Amino acid sequence: MQKPWEGRFRERTEKFVEDFTQSVSFDKELALWDIKQSKAHVKTLQKAGILPEEEASLLLKGLEGIEEEVRQGRFDFRVELEDVHMNIEAELIKRLGEVGGKLHTARSRNDQVATDEKLYIKDSIGEVLELLRELRKSLVRFAEKSVDFVMPSYTHLQRAQPIRVAHYFLAYREIFLTDAERFINAYRLADCLPLGSGAVAGVDFPLDRFYTAELLGFNRLCRNSMQATADRDFILDLLYACAVCGMHLSRLSEDLILWSSEEFGFVELPDRLCTGSSIMPQKKNPDVLELIRGKTGRLYGNLLSLLTTLKGLPMAYNRDLQEDKEPLFDSLRAIKDCLTGMRLVLEGMSLKEGRLYSSAGSFSLMTDLANYLVLKGLPFRQAHKVAGSITAYLLEKGKKPEELSLEELKSFSELYEEDALRLLKPEASADRRKVFGGTAREEVLRRLEVAKREEGLS
Ligand code: ARG
């Protein structure tokens, strides 16, 4: 197979080197965006008077034919042709003859590959944002179904205070909103056109780069040809957004895995999303959630891998940069799968309300007994001490707070009255937290309305 650079070389490329340096086995993923870019490049060359109209339209037709084959999965990518860019160019030359060789005028693979990647990333982020939106919608729907139920919240994985179940799911909706912002930021940073930068110094043809940017939907142009070809920071930003979002999905998975255990017994996962054991007949394992949690490893790894590749590279393009693609493709695939998996879990999961309720009471209510005294004028520190002594007393007696009598309460503080006993209910505790962002039913309902509106659900 002939190489584009054969004029300069006296030896054939070693087979090992061909295999070692090729990227087509993975960068073929960029093929459609490479063609899209090439079509815009042809138009720009024509506008600059470098390509006559007939040749430009031949090239465009040729590219469209190849595009069709790629879409149908029929295009034959060949390792000897190294990467996706040379595969497509070689095929164009094969189909059109000499005129095909004009496509690469005023372009280097260095500005070409960065442009492909940015086009690819912008489209992929669109997909991720859509999946994030679907996930947030399922969180909001779950919240809507669970406003009437209470459960314990945890700090240090110890029961803390009763909350409305919906409050928990709306918390994750807020978290995934911040993830969307990180992806939007990555989009914005990728939205800057490298093409026209050539190999490193800019091209020596009068290309109207603003026209190319318009054709390709870029809002900005890279303003320095060296930065344009050396830069892969826009991929780092995307990998970071994937890593953080993966971490959030992992934490949510961890909760749901715990909650689905017999020990917690808070939720039931649908059979269709679980797997069994080949040896223990009783098992129903939350594998989807475990794998979502597990994927976080590669999401972090991919970010660290590219950060390390970039460290110490001299200005400008170096072949090391080819190592940017597998982490990029891998993280995008993983995050899309995880978002889909989590949405399916939420759509199929059901709550075990009784178990949630019975876990929400008891010692989770001790803050309320303290705050009762605060409302009667006792400084919080003293009130905390009183409630602490009641806790110690209950633990000694093996009693629950709900079983306290007024006399017992009064023996700790004369300030307790009959109405203190009514505090000792999880829903009463939750519903006193009416502060903006708190877990009271009325406040949760208010937040739910806003969430529904923002997610287009009402
Ligand atoms: N496959 C290469 C990459 O991914 C394309 C750019 C190659 N440029 C070069 N000067 N060899 O980085």
Side-chain angles (χ1 to χ4, degrees), residues 5 21-24 26-27 30 82-85 108-110 113 117 199 232 317-325:
W5 51 77
T21 59
Q22 69 84 25
S23 54
V24 68
F26 46 89
D27 70 13
L30 296 172
E82 198 175 295
D83 59 21
V84 63
H85 323 292
S108 156
R109 278 183 296 154
N110 296 356
V113 67
E117 290 180 319
R232 293 294 181 275
Y317 178 84
N318 298 271
R319 192 60 179 273
D320 315 43
L321 294 178
Q322 184 166 291
E323 288 291 308
D324 62 353
K325 285 170 205 63

Short mmCIF file of all heavy atoms in Angstrom, two decimals, residues 5 21-24 26-27 30 82-85 108-110 113 117 199 232 317-325, ligand 1:
data_model
loop_
_atom_site.label_atom_id
_atom_site.label_comp_id
_atom_site.label_asym_id
_atom_site.label_seq_id
_atom_site.Cartn_x
_atom_site.Cartn_y
_atom_site.Cartn_z
N TRP A 5 3.47 9.82 2.04
CA TRP A 5 4.81 10.38 2.23
C TRP A 5 5.90 9.60 1.51
O TRP A 5 7.08 9.78 1.77
CB TRP A 5 5.15 10.47 3.72
CG TRP A 5 4.93 9.18 4.47
CD1 TRP A 5 5.74 8.09 4.46
CD2 TRP A 5 3.82 8.85 5.31
NE1 TRP A 5 5.21 7.10 5.25
CE2 TRP A 5 4.02 7.54 5.79
CE3 TRP A 5 2.66 9.54 5.70
CZ2 TRP A 5 3.12 6.89 6.63
CZ3 TRP A 5 1.78 8.90 6.56
CH2 TRP A 5 2.00 7.59 7.00
N THR A 21 1.32 2.25 15.01
CA THR A 21 0.98 3.66 14.82
C THR A 21 -0.45 3.88 14.31
O THR A 21 -0.94 5.00 14.34
CB THR A 21 1.95 4.35 13.83
OG1 THR A 21 1.88 3.66 12.59
CG2 THR A 21 3.37 4.34 14.36
N GLN A 22 -1.08 2.81 13.87
CA GLN A 22 -2.41 2.99 13.28
C GLN A 22 -3.40 3.47 14.35
O GLN A 22 -3.26 3.15 15.53
CB GLN A 22 -2.90 1.68 12.65
CG GLN A 22 -3.22 0.56 13.63
CD GLN A 22 -4.62 0.63 14.23
OE1 GLN A 22 -5.54 1.21 13.64
NE2 GLN A 22 -4.79 0.05 15.41
N SER A 23 -4.38 4.24 13.92
CA SER A 23 -5.45 4.61 14.85
C SER A 23 -6.81 4.30 14.25
O SER A 23 -7.83 4.50 14.90
CB SER A 23 -5.36 6.10 15.20
OG SER A 23 -5.34 6.89 14.04
N VAL A 24 -6.81 3.78 13.01
CA VAL A 24 -8.10 3.63 12.35
C VAL A 24 -9.01 2.64 13.07
O VAL A 24 -10.24 2.78 13.04
CB VAL A 24 -7.94 3.25 10.85
CG1 VAL A 24 -7.37 1.85 10.68
CG2 VAL A 24 -9.26 3.41 10.14
N PHE A 26 -9.75 2.53 15.98
CA PHE A 26 -10.67 3.24 16.89
C PHE A 26 -11.12 4.60 16.36
O PHE A 26 -12.25 5.00 16.60
CB PHE A 26 -10.07 3.38 18.30
CG PHE A 26 -8.63 3.84 18.36
CD1 PHE A 26 -8.32 5.18 18.41
CD2 PHE A 26 -7.59 2.90 18.36
CE1 PHE A 26 -6.99 5.60 18.48
CE2 PHE A 26 -6.26 3.32 18.43
CZ PHE A 26 -5.95 4.68 18.48
N ASP A 27 -10.27 5.30 15.59
CA ASP A 27 -10.73 6.65 15.18
C ASP A 27 -11.72 6.60 14.02
O ASP A 27 -12.25 7.64 13.61
CB ASP A 27 -9.58 7.63 14.95
CG ASP A 27 -8.74 7.34 13.72
OD1 ASP A 27 -9.15 6.53 12.88
OD2 ASP A 27 -7.65 7.95 13.61
N LEU A 30 -14.83 8.53 14.15
CA LEU A 30 -14.95 9.95 13.75
C LEU A 30 -15.35 10.12 12.28
O LEU A 30 -15.47 11.26 11.81
CB LEU A 30 -13.60 10.65 13.97
CG LEU A 30 -13.07 10.76 15.40
CD1 LEU A 30 -11.65 11.30 15.42
CD2 LEU A 30 -13.99 11.67 16.23
N GLU A 82 -3.53 3.72 8.04
CA GLU A 82 -3.24 4.39 9.29
C GLU A 82 -4.42 4.95 10.07
O GLU A 82 -4.70 4.52 11.17
CB GLU A 82 -2.20 5.50 9.08
CG GLU A 82 -1.54 5.93 10.38
CD GLU A 82 -0.43 6.95 10.15
OE1 GLU A 82 0.58 6.61 9.51
OE2 GLU A 82 -0.60 8.09 10.61
N ASP A 83 -5.05 5.98 9.55
CA ASP A 83 -6.13 6.58 10.34
C ASP A 83 -7.36 6.87 9.49
O ASP A 83 -7.36 6.66 8.27
CB ASP A 83 -5.64 7.83 11.10
CG ASP A 83 -5.10 8.91 10.17
OD1 ASP A 83 -5.44 8.91 8.96
OD2 ASP A 83 -4.33 9.77 10.67
N VAL A 84 -8.39 7.33 10.14
CA VAL A 84 -9.66 7.56 9.45
C VAL A 84 -9.50 8.61 8.35
O VAL A 84 -10.09 8.49 7.27
CB VAL A 84 -10.76 7.97 10.47
CG1 VAL A 84 -10.43 9.29 11.17
CG2 VAL A 84 -12.13 8.05 9.83
N HIS A 85 -8.65 9.60 8.60
CA HIS A 85 -8.50 10.69 7.63
C HIS A 85 -7.91 10.18 6.32
O HIS A 85 -8.39 10.49 5.23
CB HIS A 85 -7.61 11.80 8.19
CG HIS A 85 -7.79 12.02 9.66
ND1 HIS A 85 -8.95 12.54 10.16
CD2 HIS A 85 -6.99 11.77 10.73
CE1 HIS A 85 -8.86 12.60 11.49
NE2 HIS A 85 -7.67 12.12 11.86
N SER A 108 -3.91 20.12 7.18
CA SER A 108 -3.02 19.11 7.73
C SER A 108 -3.87 18.20 8.58
O SER A 108 -4.95 18.60 9.03
CB SER A 108 -1.97 19.80 8.61
OG SER A 108 -1.46 18.90 9.57
N ARG A 109 -3.40 16.98 8.80
CA ARG A 109 -4.17 16.14 9.71
C ARG A 109 -4.17 16.73 11.12
O ARG A 109 -5.01 16.38 11.94
CB ARG A 109 -3.62 14.71 9.72
CG ARG A 109 -4.13 13.88 8.55
CD ARG A 109 -3.61 12.47 8.64
NE ARG A 109 -2.16 12.42 8.53
CZ ARG A 109 -1.39 11.46 9.04
NH1 ARG A 109 -1.94 10.48 9.73
NH2 ARG A 109 -0.08 11.48 8.87
N ASN A 110 -3.23 17.64 11.37
CA ASN A 110 -3.17 18.21 12.73
C ASN A 110 -4.36 19.13 13.02
O ASN A 110 -4.93 19.07 14.11
CB ASN A 110 -1.86 18.97 12.93
CG ASN A 110 -0.65 18.04 12.86
OD1 ASN A 110 -0.82 16.82 12.74
ND2 ASN A 110 0.55 18.60 12.93
N VAL A 113 -7.71 16.65 12.65
CA VAL A 113 -8.14 15.75 13.73
C VAL A 113 -8.75 16.55 14.89
O VAL A 113 -9.78 16.14 15.46
CB VAL A 113 -6.98 14.84 14.19
CG1 VAL A 113 -5.86 15.60 14.87
CG2 VAL A 113 -7.50 13.76 15.13
N GLU A 117 -12.61 16.05 16.22
CA GLU A 117 -12.90 15.73 17.62
C GLU A 117 -13.88 16.73 18.22
O GLU A 117 -14.77 16.38 18.99
CB GLU A 117 -11.61 15.69 18.44
CG GLU A 117 -10.77 14.48 18.07
CD GLU A 117 -9.46 14.39 18.86
OE1 GLU A 117 -8.81 15.43 19.06
OE2 GLU A 117 -9.10 13.29 19.28
N ALA A 199 -0.58 22.52 9.81
CA ALA A 199 0.21 21.62 10.65
C ALA A 199 0.57 22.30 11.96
O ALA A 199 0.59 21.68 13.01
CB ALA A 199 1.46 21.18 9.92
N ARG A 232 -5.60 19.85 23.61
CA ARG A 232 -6.62 18.81 23.82
C ARG A 232 -7.35 19.06 25.14
O ARG A 232 -8.00 18.19 25.69
CB ARG A 232 -5.99 17.42 23.85
CG ARG A 232 -5.41 16.95 22.53
CD ARG A 232 -6.49 16.76 21.45
NE ARG A 232 -5.93 16.29 20.20
CZ ARG A 232 -5.41 17.06 19.25
NH1 ARG A 232 -5.38 18.38 19.40
NH2 ARG A 232 -4.93 16.55 18.14
N TYR A 317 1.83 20.08 17.85
CA TYR A 317 1.32 18.71 17.71
C TYR A 317 2.41 17.67 17.94
O TYR A 317 3.55 17.83 17.47
CB TYR A 317 0.70 18.48 16.32
CG TYR A 317 0.20 17.05 16.17
CD1 TYR A 317 -1.06 16.68 16.64
CD2 TYR A 317 1.01 16.04 15.63
CE1 TYR A 317 -1.51 15.36 16.56
CE2 TYR A 317 0.57 14.72 15.55
CZ TYR A 317 -0.69 14.40 16.01
OH TYR A 317 -1.13 13.09 15.94
N ASN A 318 2.11 16.63 18.66
CA ASN A 318 2.97 15.45 18.80
C ASN A 318 2.08 14.24 18.67
O ASN A 318 0.91 14.27 19.04
CB ASN A 318 3.63 15.43 20.19
CG ASN A 318 4.51 16.64 20.41
OD1 ASN A 318 5.69 16.63 20.09
ND2 ASN A 318 3.94 17.71 20.95
N ARG A 319 2.68 13.17 18.17
CA ARG A 319 1.87 11.98 17.91
C ARG A 319 1.27 11.40 19.19
O ARG A 319 0.27 10.66 19.13
CB ARG A 319 2.72 10.92 17.19
CG ARG A 319 1.94 9.75 16.62
CD ARG A 319 0.90 10.22 15.59
NE ARG A 319 0.17 9.10 15.02
CZ ARG A 319 0.56 8.39 13.98
NH1 ARG A 319 1.68 8.71 13.33
NH2 ARG A 319 -0.15 7.38 13.55
N ASP A 320 1.86 11.74 20.32
CA ASP A 320 1.27 11.31 21.60
C ASP A 320 -0.23 11.63 21.65
O ASP A 320 -1.00 10.94 22.31
CB ASP A 320 1.91 12.04 22.80
CG ASP A 320 3.42 12.13 22.74
OD1 ASP A 320 3.96 12.42 21.65
OD2 ASP A 320 4.05 11.93 23.80
N LEU A 321 -0.59 12.70 20.98
CA LEU A 321 -1.98 13.18 21.06
C LEU A 321 -2.98 12.16 20.50
O LEU A 321 -4.16 12.23 20.81
CB LEU A 321 -2.13 14.52 20.34
CG LEU A 321 -1.37 15.70 20.99
CD1 LEU A 321 -1.55 16.97 20.18
CD2 LEU A 321 -1.88 15.92 22.42
N GLN A 322 -2.49 11.25 19.70
CA GLN A 322 -3.38 10.20 19.19
C GLN A 322 -3.97 9.36 20.34
O GLN A 322 -5.01 8.75 20.19
CB GLN A 322 -2.58 9.30 18.23
CG GLN A 322 -3.40 8.22 17.57
CD GLN A 322 -2.65 7.59 16.41
OE1 GLN A 322 -2.43 8.24 15.39
NE2 GLN A 322 -2.21 6.35 16.56
N GLU A 323 -3.27 9.38 21.46
CA GLU A 323 -3.74 8.63 22.64
C GLU A 323 -4.95 9.29 23.31
O GLU A 323 -5.40 8.84 24.36
CB GLU A 323 -2.60 8.51 23.67
CG GLU A 323 -1.50 7.54 23.26
CD GLU A 323 -1.97 6.08 23.26
OE1 GLU A 323 -2.52 5.65 24.27
OE2 GLU A 323 -1.81 5.40 22.23
N ASP A 324 -5.42 10.39 22.75
CA ASP A 324 -6.58 11.06 23.35
C ASP A 324 -7.90 10.36 23.03
O ASP A 324 -8.89 10.56 23.73
CB ASP A 324 -6.67 12.53 22.88
CG ASP A 324 -6.87 12.64 21.36
OD1 ASP A 324 -6.82 11.62 20.65
OD2 ASP A 324 -7.07 13.78 20.88
N LYS A 325 -7.89 9.53 21.97
CA LYS A 325 -9.19 9.09 21.44
C LYS A 325 -9.84 7.98 22.22
O LYS A 325 -11.04 8.02 22.49
CB LYS A 325 -9.04 8.69 19.98
CG LYS A 325 -8.89 9.90 19.11
CD LYS A 325 -8.50 9.57 17.72
CE LYS A 325 -7.81 10.76 17.12
NZ LYS A 325 -6.55 11.12 17.80
N1 ARG B 1 -4.13 9.92 13.77
C1 ARG B 1 -3.52 11.13 14.14
C2 ARG B 1 -3.99 11.55 15.53
O1 ARG B 1 -4.94 11.02 15.95
C3 ARG B 1 -3.90 12.20 13.19
C4 ARG B 1 -2.90 13.31 13.13
C5 ARG B 1 -1.65 12.82 12.59
N2 ARG B 1 -0.74 13.86 12.33
C6 ARG B 1 0.54 13.62 12.05
N3 ARG B 1 1.29 14.64 11.83
N4 ARG B 1 1.04 12.40 11.98
O2 ARG B 1 -3.41 12.38 16.21
#
